Amino acid sequence: MGAGPAGLVLAHLLQLEGISSVVLEARSREYVESRIRAGVLEQGTVDCLVAMGVGGRLRQQGLRHEGIELQFAGERHRIHFTELTGGRSITVYGQQEVVKDLIAARLETGQPLLFEAEAVGVDVHRPSVSYRHEGGEHELECDFVAGCDGFHGVCREAIPAGALTEFSRDYPFAWLGILAEAPPSNEELIYAYNERGFALHSMRSPQLTRLYLQCRPDENLDEWPDERIWDELQARLGVEGWTLNEGPIIEKGVTPMRSYVVEPMQHGRLFLAGDAAHIVPPTGAKGLNLAVADVRVLADALVAWYHDDDASRLERYSATALRRVWRAEHFSWWMTSMLHRIDGGDAFDVQLQLSQLAYVCSSRAAATSLAENYVGLEAV
């Protein structure tokens, strides 16, 4: 259920093992391939996509980064990933590009991929899925249902009340994000702590820059004309001797900040993965990567069930996946808390944040912890 990274990676991993599946997606192909989401891939995610045979464009067009820069008190400090993690790195490659590659690979297999297939209900015990497609009502019986249909999908809602425990935290700030037709102003991502609020310099390609500003969750975009956005970015990201490249803004939006986890990530023969089971604030760049990590665990468990008649991995799916989920939740919360100005905070809060940033940038152990979590832990 769902033709995002989680559903498509799972379907492809199963296909490689000779296990057939049907992928149902409520939106159109055009919508799925064009929606702008995450763009930072962990080392393990890149390795997985390449091993699956869908990493051709990723290897050609992806921007490999060996570190990031933390900026505070008017200075920048580099966290050298490859040096601190034994050669591991990240790659900037838009989620929509990953999805395009996965859709093309799925279509090549000839296995079913149905767009604009609106799910009506899920029976977690039979199991079966009822859906509407091309004007007709359909019911699909199957061995298992993988709920990869996002936070607002039907799969999690199909689990009986009381069977799940929810953990959540809403943050009192959001990100105002833009995509600009301007060459990136820096070779690596810049995470900036500033008295005016957090800012992030990222990129999508050598021609497109992705930039973010801390703002209110209820921010009115009408109050943010392009000139004001660029002025604020210059103020928060500017350092002596450095220039922020500006250009036409082609996309603008506000992203709320939330942490959310549901336990367990399975019920009967329904297994949740990706945003259907957990949400992380974007500060740690974990959303897409967690989704891929989930379905790698689930794919291995399903292969063991089909090929070896071994159900033990399926029984442990939730516990196995949640170890990584909670590690990523903590890392994302830590990055978010360290870098964002606290609404209602005082001078004491500011000094604590500055002290933490200074420690990360001066202690090899602290920098290694950040680097290991950012590039993705090999095992959790």
Side-chain angles (χ1 to χ4, degrees):
M1 301 288 289
L8 291 168
V9 168
L10 177 58
H12 200 78
L13 288 172
L14 295 176
Q15 171 67 22
L16 292 173
E17 294 291 338
I19 300 169
S20 62
S21 62
V22 176
V23 180
L24 303 178
E25 168 56 48
R27 303 281 193 166
S28 68
R29 179 180 179 180
E30 180 183 13
Y31 177 89
V32 171
E33 290 187 339
S34 63
R35 59 185 169 187
I36 304 295
R37 292 291 187 270
V40 176
L41 307 184
E42 294 177 354
Q43 181 76 61
T45 300
V46 172
D47 294 344
C48 175
L49 295 171
V50 171
M52 287 167 50
V54 298
R57 283 204 314 135
L58 165 60
R59 298 180 83 170
Q60 292 175 357
Q61 301 176 19
L63 306 175
R64 182 175 180 267
H65 288 198
E66 297 185 352
I68 60 171
E69 294 190 16
L70 296 180
Q71 177 179 319
F72 60 99
E75 296 182 349
R76 290 185 187 154
H77 307 262
R78 187 166 190 248
I79 306 297
H80 198 314
F81 291 162
T82 53
E83 179 183 295
L84 296 167
T85 65
R88 294 168 69 78
S89 62
I90 59 169
T91 299
V92 174
Y93 188 67
Q95 176 172 316
Q96 74 276 15
E97 302 304 323
V98 174
V99 169
K100 290 175 187 176
D101 297 339
L102 290 167
I103 288 175
R106 176 67 176 183
L107 295 175
E108 284 184 10
T109 69
Q111 292 290 306
L113 169 54
L114 306 182
F115 292 100
E116 299 180 86
E118 180 187 1
V120 178
V122 178
D123 186 323
V124 300
H125 296 291
R126 233 169 108 200
S128 64
V129 177
S130 302
Y131 66 97
R132 301 187 185 98
H133 184 245
E134 296 182 342
E137 303 278 345
H138 306 271
E139 184 177 49
L140 176 66
E141 294 187 2
C142 46
D143 293 330
F144 303 97
V145 176
C148 308
D149 54 346
F151 184 79
H152 298 289
V154 301
C155 287
R156 190 178 67 254
E157 297 299 321
I159 297 175
L164 300 177
T165 300
E166 295 180 305
F167 305 85
S168 65
R169 172 163 296 175
D170 292 316
Y171 296 87
F173 39 74
W175 279 8
L176 192 165
I178 65 166
L179 190 65
E181 291 182 338
S185 309
N186 202 58
E187 293 184 356
E188 297 179 334
L189 279 70
I190 305 168
Y191 285 78
Y193 176 89
N194 187 276
E195 63 182 9
R196 302 175 68 92
F198 169 76
L200 171 62
H201 171 281
S202 184
M203 63 286 292
R204 285 296 175 266
S205 74
Q207 296 79 36
L208 294 175
T209 301
R210 189 73 162 156
L211 297 146
Y212 298 94
L213 292 167
Q214 178 182 345
C215 65
R216 302 189 316 271
D218 61 349
E219 202 73 60
N220 182 359
L221 283 177
D222 292 338
E223 298 176 0
W224 284 89
D226 294 1
E227 182 179 0
R228 181 188 176 192
I229 291 174
W230 287 117
D231 286 346
E232 195 64 29
L233 286 166
Q234 294 282 3
R236 298 189 194 185
L237 287 167
V239 293
E240 186 176 353
W242 179 82
T243 301
L244 174 64
N245 297 327
E246 299 185 10
I249 295 176
I250 58 176
E251 182 184 290
K252 187 187 305 183
V254 174
T255 301
M257 307 283 279
R258 188 183 194 195
S259 297
Y260 175 87
V261 180
V262 67
E263 294 188 11
M265 291 170 55
Q266 61 191 96
H267 186 83
R269 291 201 166 196
L270 169 63
F271 297 84
L272 302 177
D275 288 358
H278 42 73
I279 300 289
V280 290
T283 325
K286 293 297 158 202
L288 179 154
N289 297 293
L290 269 185
V292 172
D294 288 348
V295 296
R296 291 177 69 182
V297 173
L298 183 54
D300 287 345
L302 289 169
V303 169
W305 190 88
Y306 279 106
H307 290 348
D308 303 321
D309 197 26
D310 178 4
S312 63
R313 292 190 184 185
L314 282 175
E315 293 167 359
R316 298 195 305 269
Y317 164 69
S318 181
T320 302
L322 282 168
R323 284 197 295 272
R324 181 178 291 272
V325 168
W326 278 114
R327 175 87 296 277
E329 289 284 353
H330 180 268
F331 176 67
S332 299
W333 164 84
W334 176 73
M335 288 280 285
T336 301
S337 302
M338 178 173 64
L339 289 162
H340 290 75
R341 292 302 296 263
I342 301 170
D343 188 25
D346 56 19
F348 188 84
D349 295 308
V350 170
Q351 292 303 319
L352 288 178
Q353 290 173 310
L354 290 171
S355 175
Q356 180 67 64
L357 284 162
Y359 177 62
V360 169
C361 296
S362 61
S363 164
R364 185 177 179 86
T368 298
S369 177
L370 188 156
E372 286 179 342
N373 281 273
Y374 203 103
V375 302
L377 298 171
E378 296 184 71
V380 177

